Amino acid sequence: MSTLDMDTLRSPVEDLHQEPPPIVSQSDPSSRGMVISGDKLVFSPPLYAQRYQAVQEIITASKMPITKVVDIGSAELKFFRNLRYINGVQEVVLVDVDEETLQSSKHRVQPLMADFLLRRQEPLTVKVVCGDARVYDPLLSGAQVVTLIEVIEHMNECDLPALVQCVFQHVRPHLVVVTTPNADFNKFFPNHTPGKFRHWDHKFEWTAQEFQHWCLGVVEEYQDYTVEFSGCGLGPDGTFCTQVATFWHHTQYQEHSEPLLRTAMTGTSFGEVGGLAQTAGLESVYKIIAECEYPVDKRTKEEWEVDYAMNRFNSLRNFLVAGDRQGIESSVPVWQQQDGGLGLPSPPDSSLSSDCIHYLTPHFDNEEAVYKAGDVKNEYCFYIIDNRYALIPMRSLAHWVNSGAETDLTDELISRAVGDECFETHGSSSSWVGKVMLYEERVSSSSRVTESDSEDTSYARWPSMETLHHNTSHHSTDVKGKLQIDVCENDIENWD
């Protein structure tokens, strides 16, 4: 690497100095590119990101139950940021022979503050382990996936048989993913010197033919496995800068779209000689550098639903009070955004669908006027009464709450969850109605409140409808958007 002066192509240790890899679809060629900038070859996205994402997509596309992943050659542990988001993974073992690097990088696997706020639905245990992958350790047992990203080229070829035996004979995972540089690609590097490797620590760099020959030798020896070849970092003539071999245990073999090369072998069925049975009673020879457990959401389904209903109810209240919704300034209250009850768009989180739902917020002097108007059956309507409080029917509330939920919450659960937030409720089930105040009460500083000083109590109320209609009549020729902002400037200041 130093000879070629190409800092965009790095060994595993160098790759991990980069920022966490972005989400890149390896199946979309338009999302990737390669350019020569001066004496450097630059990939977009960076090659390390393409490698990490390619391995993550292979694991995700396997569609097999995966609870434990072992990453060999983890170096600075940044590939964990991809592994932690794979559904179903509950244990990750990160192995590297360099203890000093693991000690300085172990903080990267610790839970963040966000992990405590948004807890996982499934447990996750992470172990950072210092050990030689040529030697089997019981810590590796039970893994469904083993990854070796840019590892084998840093080993002497004479050491590879021991590594293969450890992984394929003792661990025996469902899936093994191996990546390594493709020597066929080196000719595209600017100022490339034949015979020079990309990195000073590389012991070898194989051509595609040499790599495939080695992989076929593995499946010939361990006939429980099949192998597929692909790559990432596409070059000018279709050559990949990094070549990828995916080994599948034949009992778990899955068809994949457009593999570059597929070789299938058959053999004994998986599990005849399990790794756990083979290593029963063995003591660990690896050193655990760090171990942590991620916080888990231990709420019951009903507790989660109650909390979800409360969160949605609070968003509704903010929507009605502050006008905090999509495409409208949050500083402008709701009464300025509606025109005769024509409707208001829902806030950004009120629906996960692409359809824009408008919730009506008509104003009435009293509750009797609402029922006389006959609008109480509108499922997208919340009623502002006397510019002081909101009348919230269950039909409208249930739609608001369930618009973003995976499963519909019952009316009974919603009413039970939000009942204490209302100053008055009546009815039950679909006929439930709640009333929520939309102003703050301001009381005078005097500790004694008598009938004579009751006038000191005031309310931060919305401007009256009479004031609105009076002021708007003097600006009927203005543009509607400007009208709503300007007509009640004084009232806005008083209300705020």
Side-chain angles (χ1 to χ4, degrees), residues 5 20 24 65 102 120 142 155 163 181 191 194 196 237 255 282-283 318 343 402 441 448 461-462 475 480 488:
D5 192 26
V24 181
L102 294 178
R120 294 173 57 92
M155 302 175 64
L163 173 67
N191 304 322
K196 295 292 184 179
D237 63 351
E255 291 291 331
L282 289 182
E283 294 184 0
N318 292 336
N402 290 320
E441 185 176 358
R448 294 183 59 189
R461 294 173 53 172
W462 289 346
H475 301 269
K480 178 181 178 181
C488 300

Side-chain angles (χ1 to χ4, degrees), residues 161-393:
L163 173 67
V164 171
Q165 183 181 32
C166 175
V167 173
F168 290 89
Q169 179 175 325
H170 297 299
V171 182
R172 301 187 69 214
H174 297 314
L175 171 64
V176 180
V177 184
V178 181
T179 77
T180 191
N182 183 5
D184 295 332
F185 191 91
N186 291 346
K187 62 186 178 182
F188 297 113
F189 294 142
N191 304 322
H192 170 62
T193 301
K196 295 292 184 179
F197 295 151
R198 304 180 189 179
H199 187 261
W200 64 266
D201 191 48
H202 287 184
K203 306 301 188 294
F204 61 86
E205 290 180 1
W206 284 336
T207 64
Q209 182 178 4
E210 292 171 331
F211 182 53
Q212 292 172 13
H213 177 75
W214 179 77
C215 293
L216 294 176
V218 171
V219 297
E220 184 176 358
E221 182 177 359
Y222 300 96
Q223 297 185 13
D224 292 344
Y225 288 89
T226 61
V227 63
E228 299 175 1
F229 298 99
S230 59
C232 52
L234 191 61
D237 63 351
T239 303
F240 287 107
C241 186
T242 295
Q243 45 193 343
V244 181
T246 304
F247 298 87
W248 302 87
H249 193 280
H250 82 278
T251 59
Q252 299 292 335
Y253 186 78
Q254 303 284 341
E255 291 291 331
H256 292 271
S257 60
E258 299 181 359
L260 295 181
L261 176 64
R262 176 177 299 156
T263 302
M265 298 277 185
T266 60
T268 57
S269 61
F270 175 77
E272 282 187 9
V273 185
L276 290 175
Q278 286 181 312
T279 60
L282 289 182
E283 294 184 0
S284 177
V285 295
Y286 288 0
K287 179 180 179 181
I288 297 180
I289 304 301
E291 182 175 359
C292 62
E293 294 184 0
Y294 274 63
V296 180
D297 188 349
K298 297 182 179 180
R299 292 176 296 176
T300 64
K301 183 176 183 293
E302 182 177 359
E303 290 172 339
W304 184 92
E305 291 177 343
V306 169
D307 289 344
Y308 180 83
M310 270 300 304
N311 289 335
R312 298 295 297 132
F313 182 78
N314 288 333
S315 72
L316 171 61
R317 182 159 48 187
N318 292 336
F319 170 67
L320 296 174
V321 172
D324 185 16
R325 56 194 179 275
Q326 185 177 11
I328 298 178
E329 295 292 338
S330 60
S331 61
V332 183
V334 171
W335 52 266
Q336 280 195 286
Q337 308 301 333
Q338 60 96 26
D339 182 14
L342 293 180
L344 297 170
S346 61
D349 64 342
S350 67
S351 176
L352 300 180
S353 67
S354 58
D355 297 331
C356 181
I357 299 174
H358 285 69
Y359 290 89
L360 304 179
T361 56
H363 290 246
F364 293 90
D365 293 334
N366 51 60
E367 296 179 26
E368 290 75 12
V370 176
Y371 294 98
K372 289 181 180 178
D375 288 340
V376 291
K377 294 184 179 181
N378 191 320
E379 64 176 340
Y380 304 138
C381 198
F382 305 102
Y383 306 93
I384 308 303
I385 308 300
D386 192 27
N387 297 305
R388 297 177 57 241
Y389 65 91
L391 191 68
I392 302 179

